[in-house]
Amino acid sequence: MSYIKFAKWIRPKKDYGEACPIYKCEFEAKKQVKSAVLEITAMGVYEAHINGERIGDFIMAPGWTAYDKRHQYQSYDITDKLKSGNEITVTVGKGWYRGDLVIWRDNNIWGTVPAIIAAITLVYDDGTEEIISTDKKWKVAESPIRFSQIYDGETYDATYKLDEWEDAVYYYGTTLNLIPQEGEIVREMEHIKPLGMLVTPKGERVIDFGQNMTGYVTFKVDGRKGDKIVYSHAETLDFDGNFYTANLRSAKQRVEYICRDGVQEYKPHHSFMGFRYIRLDDAPDYVNEDMFEAIVVHSDIKRTGYFECSHEKLNKLYQNIVWGQRGNFLDIPTDCPQRDERLGWTADAQVFVKTASYNYDVQKFFEKWLKDLAAEQHNNGAVGNVVPDVLYDFTPATGWGDAATICPWQIYLTYGEKTVLENQIDSMIGWVEFMHSRGEEEFLWCGDEQMGDWLALDAPEGTNTGASDTDLIASAYFALSTEIVAKALKVLGRDNSKYEEMHKRIVSAYRERFKEYKTQTECAVSLMFNLAENRDEVAEKLADLVKKNGNKITTGFLGTPYIMDALSENGYEDVAYSLLLQEEYPSWLFSVNMGATTVWEHWDSMRADGTMWHTGMNSFNHYAYGCVGSWMYETICGIKLDEENPGFERIVICPKPDKRLKWAKASIESRFGTIKSGWEFTGDEVVYEFELPRPARVEIGNKTFELGAGKYTYKF
Ligand code: BGC
């Protein structure tokens, strides 16, 4: 039985300004306790302790949701932590709830007070229960956390005396929106020791952790009272080797710690940063790099996919893609983890969802986020460009709103469970109906302002939208989403005739209106969404466009997820491989050559001459272009889903070896067991090896085998 909904919110009487409050509740169990559970959440992010020991290990609890509609609480078993007299303390940071968000730094988006609500349920041995809920007997004071914000970091004063406790007062917030924890919790997942300290040409003392990541730094120091240890975080050094923070825009990512006497350890409580380097801005001489360690923080999702091949740079790219996912799966899928943004941009999530779902088990993660997407969807079906929606006044955009259909469909395909479709179907239909209602032509989406093929390299100077016709892209995604809705309704056993018919009408309207495809993206989406009438011609055109461009890519966010498949599924695997193995700018491996350890936002985030893309929007940890990861699993190693038997209940294996690689292997742990597929050139022959937990159709060249579960080796 959950009691938190019957509890009351409490808050400090005074405004503590930037200081984080600490709440305190002292209680004694009256009889022998059989079990004790703490249910708790906050208007902000909280960390709770009992008798000095941390409760749970959820970083940035209660996570990020559309709080006004869905506010998660967590339940912790504290039975083993109870003593005769107990003290629970809770600190609350501003978090997403009240802290600055978005480049223009909106704050207090969901509320203005750092309130908490909690219920401790003690079940005694004799079967009776006692509930201790947040009330005016709880005390509250300013804590040593003097400042804490997501973008700006934290200030902690270890000399601060906790003595001014006051009684908490009630805050009349609702409990109707409280929901139990849904997604995986965010945890400290890995510790990384520094590679070393360097002194930059500017004379800055910089510690390099060797990997761009998301999380924070911890240190242990034998300090002197009043000494300050201040450090800032950055993703990269500039061309001259100096610490580079211009791309963070206004985000300070700075930690300030004031020491007490003696040995002490610290790590931020309510903030996280995107970084590879820290710069010691102020620190006594006794501080050195050996005292520091980086801690990687992300949602505790289970790793399921692996890829490796004979090409070291491709392996590095794959690792960078996985790091991009780690860095941006912190309770919600974000665009980036470092600058004053870190938002749930919907296009970014939909272009990456397939790769994400092979790398890790992200079913619960997406189910939670998609419920927020649906909860915030407008009455006319419009979907936010970010979820949770902190932009309010936005122009619904093709490729962004389609997260409403593409994400649930992919989660269904990868894991084979209908729940996500059941949860999302109204939202999916809503988005399609929104597109249907736009523009003068009923079966196209034309005339609206769009973000289009975002950051495509064929963009006219000074714009981000790419050269592809935005009406064409919008109509193509309208077709795709409508087709997905028709398929989803069929899976759910519901009448889908309306959307099948609508899809047909969109396809004919598209063919009528868009007869020529002039960019890589226009060709790719027309092929992959089955819109192009003369597939062979369009595929040839796409291959030509790529070749004429020196085997270089020009696509942006909306074309990149499709260009590789559009080539390889239409007889141009070799051209797709050329794109993937291209090392000159623009290409995936260009960033690897430039020393990237995560995927960049722009093909040219850092240029060969060391200059940077405009500071206004230049993240070095943006997973969107990491969507090419799915091609490594699906095409290089050939592990594919069968739409009719999703979740890999039935497997399709059709690897496409290319001599530029000597060997490749991949594995995906599906709900039915681990699928493995690999190949190796031995002279002119290729040895294929498969491990199949379920029956599969295996296609090698023009040969097809229907195989049962088992291990197989073939040589051709
Ligand atoms: C984000 C993107 C996002 C875009 C759309 C950017 O600032 O980082 O990844 O999709 O804005 O406007």
Side-chain angles (χ1 to χ4, degrees), residues 7 26 94 103 315 332 351 411 454 525 539 577:
E26 289 166 339
K94 292 185 172 184
I103 187 168
N315 290 339
I332 66 153
V351 307
I411 294 301
W454 188 248
V525 297
Y577 266 104

Coordinates of all heavy atoms in Angstrom, one line a residue, residues 7 26 94 103 315 332 351 411 454 525 539 577:
A7 N 0.0 12.1 2.0 CA 0.8 13.0 2.7 C 0.7 14.4 2.2 O -0.1 14.7 1.3 CB 2.3 12.5 2.6
E26 N 13.1 13.3 12.7 CA 13.6 12.3 13.7 C 12.4 11.4 14.2 O 11.3 11.9 14.4 CB 14.2 13.0 14.9 CG 15.5 13.7 14.6 CD 16.0 14.7 15.6 OE1 15.2 15.2 16.4 OE2 17.2 15.0 15.5
K94 N 17.7 22.6 -7.1 CA 16.6 23.1 -8.0 C 16.3 22.2 -9.2 O 15.1 22.1 -9.6 CB 17.1 24.5 -8.6 CG 17.2 25.6 -7.6 CD 17.5 26.9 -8.2 CE 17.4 28.0 -7.2 NZ 17.6 29.3 -7.8
I103 N 18.4 28.0 -23.2 CA 19.4 29.1 -23.4 C 19.0 30.4 -22.8 O 19.8 31.1 -22.3 CB 19.7 29.2 -24.9 CG1 20.8 30.2 -25.2 CG2 18.4 29.6 -25.7 CD1 21.3 30.1 -26.6
N315 N 35.9 0.9 -35.2 CA 35.6 0.5 -33.8 C 35.5 1.7 -32.9 O 34.7 1.8 -32.0 CB 36.7 -0.4 -33.3 CG 36.7 -1.7 -34.0 OD1 35.6 -2.1 -34.5 ND2 37.8 -2.5 -34.0
I332 N 16.1 11.0 -19.4 CA 15.4 11.3 -20.7 C 16.4 11.3 -21.8 O 17.6 11.5 -21.5 CB 14.6 12.6 -20.7 CG1 15.5 13.8 -20.6 CG2 13.6 12.7 -19.6 CD1 14.9 15.0 -21.2
V351 N 15.8 9.9 -34.3 CA 16.8 9.4 -35.3 C 17.7 8.4 -34.7 O 18.3 7.6 -35.4 CB 17.6 10.6 -36.0 CG1 16.7 11.6 -36.6 CG2 18.6 11.2 -35.1
I411 N 10.5 0.7 -30.6 CA 10.5 -0.1 -29.3 C 9.7 -1.3 -29.4 O 10.1 -2.4 -29.0 CB 10.0 0.9 -28.2 CG1 11.0 2.0 -28.0 CG2 9.8 0.1 -26.9 CD1 12.4 1.7 -27.6
W454 N 17.9 19.3 -40.7 CA 18.7 20.1 -39.7 C 20.2 19.9 -39.8 O 20.6 18.7 -39.8 CB 18.1 19.8 -38.3 CG 18.7 20.6 -37.2 CD1 19.5 20.2 -36.2 CD2 18.4 22.0 -36.9 NE1 19.7 21.2 -35.3 CE2 19.1 22.3 -35.8 CE3 17.6 23.0 -37.6 CZ2 19.0 23.6 -35.2 CZ3 17.5 24.2 -37.0 CH2 18.2 24.5 -35.9
V525 N 15.0 9.6 -48.2 CA 13.7 9.4 -47.6 C 12.7 8.9 -48.6 O 11.8 8.1 -48.3 CB 13.2 10.7 -46.9 CG1 14.1 11.1 -45.7 CG2 13.0 11.9 -47.8
A539 N 17.6 5.3 -56.8 CA 18.8 4.8 -56.1 C 20.1 5.1 -56.8 O 21.1 5.5 -56.3 CB 18.7 3.3 -56.0
Y577 N 29.5 1.7 -47.9 CA 30.8 1.5 -47.2 C 31.7 2.6 -47.5 O 32.5 3.0 -46.6 CB 31.4 0.2 -47.7 CG 31.1 -1.1 -46.9 CD1 30.2 -2.0 -47.3 CD2 31.8 -1.3 -45.7 CE1 29.9 -3.1 -46.5 CE2 31.5 -2.4 -44.9 CZ 30.5 -3.3 -45.3 OH 30.3 -4.4 -44.6

